[in-house]
Amino acid sequence: MILIAAVFAVLQLANLTARDTPDTKNYLSYALSLRGESKQEAAALTIDYVCAGKASVARRNQAVDVVRFHRASPTRRVVAQCRRDQWRGVSARLAAGQTAGHTVPFMSARFMRIFEARPGYPVLLMPFITVLGVKWGLWASAVAVTVAGGVLLFLVLRTLRVSTGAALTGQALFYVLPCGATAMRPMTEGLMMAVTLAALWGCALVLEGRARAGTWLVGGSLAVLFTVKHSQALFLGLSLTAACAVLLARRRRWDGPLRTLGVVAGCGVLATVLLARALHYPSESESVQDLLTDHYARPDRAHPWPEFLHVEVAFWVEWARRQFWEPLFLTAVVAAGWGALRRHPAFAGFLLAAAGTGVLNQAAHPDINVWGDRLIVLLWLLPAVGLPLLLDAVVRPGARALDGTVPGQSRGDTEVAR
């Protein structure tokens, strides 16, 4: 396990910069502000990092351009243009008095409120960038989060009594599938996946008989997830509550540990809603306006919900068309779901619930132009966990499932065997 994580970390040295997204500068400036930097200092360090990444991409692109490879390096030109563009908006907003909060005003105050409500990831970044500097700190924090996600996935599978080889396969899949590449980008998705895997580990512990430790782990994961992205904490809490309800109804008995887990997840949902309102976090209507007005660059829509539903339907039609064109993702999801249901039916409900939050997250932001399908990336946890379960079911067909049965064997036969 450590060897796989170390190899992955070494490979990431190939790309120290140019992993940033438009959201990165908001989280980075937040972390720099927590470290004690002024708005001007935080803006300067953040803009330098972003522009260095753009210059790195431009230089690499030119090096492999069969027409322009012989020209002078574009680094200085790209950096100068990037700095002019970034400072133009920031300087104007700072001069206009937009200095509240922790983030540098790269966008309007209304848009920046979204990132002010997500302190968890900047808090994680702060010690890394303080000790290692901005470039190496962001890289090291991304490696740490991604490696932790793979290790947590390994622990989930081992808790389910999957073979060591299958568990290591799951860890490697987390790194090589899009969930690993997305987790390495300096934004919240990597931390969200790691915390979601921690919650899944808690669910596995509950099913395995270690109810107290598992329940505390799920509750703690929901609390941490609230600080990272409160809407994701709401989705995960709702999904886990629904999974517990389905399992209790399927078993037709009042299972104490499952009931407790469902109560904790339900309380997490209630706490998320109440805290978000008490802290005046942006509401769902604000999110819809953000989507339809291009981050508030245009006037608010008078009737946003009908327009949102129209965009929602159009998005999923186009998304399905693209998936059918290259059906690797859908094939992996279906195979993984079948493998999880075959190997561990009880845990499969929690896995489908947690991975399904990626679909909910994407449905809340039906934007086909978002880079790399990062909004739905949590759904890739289903192949990362489910495919090793399928592998284990094929390699060890006689291994017992989590509910005490052998795959393909009835409960009556199992009782007779006992």
Side-chain angles (χ1 to χ4, degrees):
M1 181 187 71
I2 295 173
L3 178 61
I4 292 175
V7 170
F8 172 79
V10 170
L11 292 177
Q12 302 316 302
L13 289 169
N15 293 279
L16 287 175
T17 59
R19 295 179 184 267
D20 58 289
T21 69
D23 290 352
T24 298
K25 56 180 179 286
N26 302 316
Y27 296 119
L28 176 56
S29 65
Y30 197 134
L32 290 168
S33 176
L34 292 176
R35 195 178 72 173
E37 306 289 350
S38 67
K39 285 289 190 294
Q40 285 286 346
E41 292 169 334
L45 290 169
T46 302
I47 290 173
D48 285 349
Y49 173 78
V50 170
C51 293
K54 291 182 180 297
S56 176
V57 172
R59 183 174 63 254
R60 297 201 305 264
N61 288 342
Q62 181 176 302
V64 293
D65 191 309
V66 295
V67 176
R68 300 178 178 85
F69 68 91
H70 60 282
R71 297 183 182 180
S73 173
T75 299
R76 290 188 178 181
R77 174 177 54 82
V78 171
V79 168
Q81 182 63 45
C82 175
R83 285 175 175 170
R84 283 195 299 270
D85 294 342
Q86 295 292 333
W87 274 113
R88 186 182 300 118
V90 171
S91 298
R93 295 186 185 94
L94 289 175
Q98 189 179 329
T99 58
H102 293 285
T103 55
V104 170
F106 290 103
M107 297 284 283
S108 67
R110 189 178 177 187
F111 180 70
M112 299 310 296
R113 285 183 61 236
I114 297 173
F115 298 93
E116 293 289 340
R118 302 174 183 176
Y121 183 59
V123 168
L124 172 72
L125 290 181
M126 186 176 62
F128 286 96
I129 63 176
T130 300
V131 175
L132 301 174
V134 171
K135 183 177 77 171
W136 283 98
L138 284 175
W139 177 87
S141 65
V143 168
V145 166
T146 310
V147 165
V151 171
L152 284 166
L153 196 148
F154 175 87
L155 293 173
V156 168
L157 291 172
R158 289 299 290 158
T159 300
L160 298 176
R161 304 187 183 184
V162 170
S163 67
T164 303
L168 291 173
T169 301
Q171 181 190 7
L173 281 175
F174 181 82
Y175 296 147
V176 302
L177 290 176
C179 45
T182 303
M184 275 301 301
R185 299 183 77 86
M187 52 187 182
T188 57
E189 274 71 16
L191 186 55
M192 283 166 44
M193 283 188 282
V195 176
T196 301
L197 284 168
L200 277 176
W201 187 22
C203 295
L205 289 171
V206 170
L207 293 174
E208 191 62 20
R210 289 176 279 179
R212 179 175 297 181
T215 303
W216 275 103
L217 188 54
V218 171
S221 298
L222 290 174
V224 172
L225 199 53
F226 177 85
T227 69
V228 178
K229 191 176 181 182
H230 69 279
S231 61
Q232 188 62 30
L234 178 64
F235 293 153
L236 184 59
L238 285 171
S239 299
L240 294 182
T241 303
C244 288
V246 170
L247 282 176
L248 287 171
R250 180 172 174 267
R251 294 184 175 187
R252 297 180 180 179
R253 57 189 176 87
W254 201 241
D255 190 299
L258 275 180
R259 178 194 60 191
T260 304
L261 181 60
V263 169
V264 168
C267 289
V269 172
L270 182 61
T272 297
V273 173
L274 294 178
L275 275 174
R277 292 185 181 276
L279 297 172
H280 304 290
Y281 281 0
S283 63
E284 60 277 4
S285 60
E286 279 289 285
S287 179
V288 171
Q289 291 289 1
D290 170 52
L291 174 74
L292 298 177
T293 60
D294 191 20
H295 305 312
Y296 310 114
R298 300 177 181 181
D300 281 8
R301 312 302 296 176
H303 305 287
W305 289 106
E307 295 182 14
F308 175 79
L309 292 176
H310 175 83
V311 172
E312 188 80 55
V313 173
F315 169 86
W316 288 111
V317 170
E318 175 62 16
W319 184 86
R321 186 191 68 80
R322 296 187 184 188
Q323 297 306 316
F324 294 151
W325 186 7
E326 297 180 280
L328 174 62
F329 180 41
L330 292 181
T331 302
V333 166
V334 171
W338 179 58
L341 288 168
R342 178 181 176 184
R343 183 66 176 82
H344 288 292
F347 179 75
F350 292 112
L351 176 59
L352 291 170
T357 60
V359 178
L360 295 177
N361 191 33
Q362 182 70 79
H365 308 83
D367 186 352
I368 202 70
N369 297 314
V370 172
W371 175 90
D373 295 328
R374 66 178 180 86
L375 294 174
I376 204 172
V377 71
L378 281 157
L379 189 55
W380 276 104
L381 293 182
L382 181 55
V385 179
L387 291 179
L389 290 173
L390 177 60
L391 173 65
D392 196 62
V394 172
V395 174
R396 299 194 307 158
R400 80 171 185 86
L402 196 64
D403 57 6
T405 65
V406 175
Q409 185 178 38
S410 69
R411 288 183 179 273
D413 293 339
T414 303
E415 292 301 324
V416 171
R418 287 176 179 173

